[in-house]
Amino acid sequence: MLPTAPAGAAECAAGAVAAVVTELYLGRSRGDRRVVSDAAWERFLAREITPRFPDGLTVLDGRGQWRDGAGRVVREATKVVVLVTPATAAQETTEGAGLAAASSREARVAAIVAAYKRRFDQRSVLVLTRMACAQF
């Protein structure tokens, strides 16, 4: 049974459950000035992300920016992947098959990040994780 509220958060409303929201910010510019194509992104999503989180996820298009070492603002297209999972690994019932069962949520996210950095010449991937109350 899921806890009624995430640790440190207010009680979840009736019908809602404690959940972990993880957001991955995946830049689409490559180190050699090319862009991760739509086809390459779809292959990565199908091969690396979906098998690790088969119960579902959301992908959003974004625009990211940061200041480089020379002080210039660098901008790039970004894919934002939003994962909402049960608050404890023991409660991940339908994700218990195949690749998803082999490791914790954190390890699955780390594997996605490592694969993306390696495949698309990325120096970093922003990962945000927070507790939430979710209702489906």
Side-chain angles (χ1 to χ4, degrees), residues 65-66 75 81 91 123:
Q65 71 177 42
W66 70 94
R75 294 176 177 90
V81 177
Q91 293 148 350
R123 284 182 275 194

Side-chain angles (χ1 to χ4, degrees), residues 99-124:
L99 183 58
S103 59
S104 71
R105 172 181 40 248
E106 293 81 9
R108 289 181 276 151
V109 168
I112 292 166
V113 169
Y116 195 81
K117 288 167 65 174
R118 182 177 55 253
R119 171 73 178 91
F120 297 116
D121 305 317
Q122 299 292 306
R123 284 182 275 194
S124 64

Side-chain angles (χ1 to χ4, degrees), residues 42-53:
E42 291 298 328
R43 280 191 302 276
F44 185 82
L45 178 64
R47 294 177 183 165
E48 299 290 341
I49 302 175
T50 301
R52 288 181 171 91
F53 292 93

Side-chain angles (χ1 to χ4, degrees), residues 26-115:
L26 304 157
R28 294 187 68 184
S29 295
R30 298 181 70 171
D32 55 6
R33 298 187 186 258
R34 293 183 295 153
V35 174
V36 175
S37 70
D38 290 341
W41 164 254
E42 291 298 328
R43 280 191 302 276
F44 185 82
L45 178 64
R47 294 177 183 165
E48 299 290 341
I49 302 175
T50 301
R52 288 181 171 91
F53 292 93
D55 284 349
L57 52 96
T58 299
V59 177
L60 307 169
D61 289 314
R63 298 281 309 155
Q65 71 177 42
W66 70 94
R67 190 170 304 278
D68 70 9
R72 294 178 300 244
V73 174
V74 178
R75 294 176 177 90
E76 71 177 314
T78 303
K79 290 291 188 181
V80 180
V81 177
V82 181
L83 306 163
V84 179
T85 55
T88 64
Q91 293 148 350
E92 296 186 45
T93 56
T94 58
E95 289 187 9
L99 183 58
S103 59
S104 71
R105 172 181 40 248
E106 293 81 9
R108 289 181 276 151
V109 168
I112 292 166
V113 169

